[in-house]
Amino acid sequence: MRIRRTVAVFAYSICLLVGCTNRKNPAEEADVSLPAAAPLASTTQADQQTLRFLQNKIRDDADDFIAQNKLAAWHLQHLRETGDLSSLEIATKAAQNSLATLPADHNTGALALLAQAEFTAHDFVASRDHAERLIELEPGKGYPFEILGDAFLELGDYERAETAFRAFEQFGALQGLTRVAIEQRMSRLAFSAW
């Protein structure tokens, strides 16, 4: 099995090398003048204002589950963008606080955020369990199957991961980023199960 993988990686590398060296530069083939790339405007100030606003809302009303959910989502995004692990702890606590205020039966957003935070923290069993609860609470929705499939994949349960990803494909809106998300997961599953 290991030899097959090594041969496959070697063959893929050769294909890339040959494919990349035989192509002409697109700028050489056409006389196209493209404008210089402009840097995107910084969102740091707006991000900090959003964070302060949410923190103040929670300070004024600790039972504001919507602000808790938004704070958890903000910190999960901040973690993805910066790698700041302190955001993971804050996101987890905010989702748990939101669920303490309003249970999952009426607060599936917080349960989904908690499952995502647990997955990010590599607590795949808890993430799986919360994804299964989400499926019970929101039958016919695709996103719980995405979380469930990711957890199964990390736990090495490839058959159940594939079943979850197929359900994600069936229930998810098959456009744009959802299509990309499904294809990424199915390729990762194929590679992992190989």
Side-chain angles (χ1 to χ4, degrees):
M1 179 143 193
R2 187 174 215 140
I3 293 172
R4 283 189 357 191
R5 243 188 224 163
T6 305
V7 169
V9 169
F10 179 73
Y12 180 71
S13 300
I14 294 298
C15 289
L16 276 177
L17 182 63
V18 170
C20 292
T21 57
N22 289 335
R23 293 191 179 149
K24 291 183 180 180
N25 184 344
E28 293 174 1
E29 292 179 0
D31 244 353
V32 177
S33 177
L34 298 175
L40 295 174
S42 173
T43 61
T44 303
Q45 184 177 0
D47 289 345
Q48 291 306 313
Q49 286 175 334
T50 301
L51 179 58
R52 279 192 303 277
F53 174 78
L54 292 171
Q55 289 169 334
N56 289 338
K57 292 271 296 174
I58 293 166
R59 185 191 66 229
D60 295 342
D61 182 6
D63 291 336
D64 187 343
F65 70 95
I66 294 172
Q68 293 281 9
N69 288 352
K70 289 187 179 294
L71 183 68
W74 189 96
H75 276 286
L76 285 174
Q77 182 64 35
H78 184 71
L79 173 64
R80 284 188 290 272
E81 292 173 355
T82 66
D84 180 3
L85 290 177
S86 65
S87 282
L88 179 57
E89 184 178 343
I90 296 168
T92 302
K93 285 181 182 176
Q96 290 169 336
N97 290 341
S98 177
L99 288 167
T101 300
L102 185 64
D105 294 358
H106 303 286
N107 192 1
T108 56
L111 187 59
L113 289 162
L114 182 58
Q116 291 168 352
E118 291 164 339
F119 180 84
T120 304
H122 293 202
D123 188 352
F124 304 122
V125 172
S127 180
R128 177 202 62 203
D129 294 346
H130 285 130
E132 288 173 338
R133 179 70 176 127
L134 273 170
I135 291 168
E136 292 172 11
L137 295 172
E138 300 220 311
K141 299 275 180 141
Y143 77 93
F145 290 102
E146 178 182 18
I147 299 168
L148 181 63
D150 287 343
F152 279 139
L153 185 58
E154 292 299 329
L155 291 168
D157 193 340
Y158 304 128
E159 193 172 300
R160 290 173 75 184
E162 182 175 4
T163 302
F165 291 147
R166 295 286 178 211
F168 174 41
E169 184 174 32
Q170 177 186 355
F171 294 118
L174 295 182
Q175 67 228 9
L177 293 177
T178 304
R179 169 60 40 208
V180 171
I182 290 168
E183 289 175 3
Q184 286 173 331
R185 282 163 173 81
M186 293 306 285
S187 351
R188 187 158 173 255
L189 175 64
F191 182 76
S192 297
W194 187 35

